[in-house]
Amino acid sequence: MMECVEPDEIELGAVLSALADPHRRKVVRDLVNDAEEDERSCTSFGLDVSKSTRSHHFKVLREAGLVHQVDRGNRSGVTLRRRDLDARFPGLLALIGDEREF
């Protein structure tokens, strides 16, 4: 299991910085619009970027406290920290979920 920011340590600046990138916002938007608590493979988001760039995007999301990531052998599973984010920043996920895709 990869390190995770504690819920009370999630900072708005880090979250907004992570969400400033359209690829990362797409990942979060897809997770918001998926069934609650479903784990997805990091490769399932259709990001047209290299493997190293994809890894970087997920690292930024994880360090900002937006996602929880688990290594599963040759793949990584990711889930949205929906409860933590809704408690800390009410309405944020709804705004992201309603955004049009780029």
Side-chain angles (χ1 to χ4, degrees), residues 77-97:
V78 65
T79 55
L80 182 65
R81 295 182 61 187
R82 190 180 305 265
R83 287 186 195 109
D84 294 338
L85 293 165
D86 281 339
R88 191 94 165 116
F89 310 110
L92 177 65
L93 295 180
L95 289 171
I96 296 167

Side-chain angles (χ1 to χ4, degrees), residues 38-58:
D38 280 353
E39 181 179 287
R40 286 187 53 181
S41 166
C42 292
T43 59
S44 70
F45 292 95
L47 301 178
D48 190 24
V49 296
S50 69
K51 183 178 178 180
S52 62
T53 300
R54 184 174 52 242
S55 294
H56 169 75
H57 285 313
F58 281 98

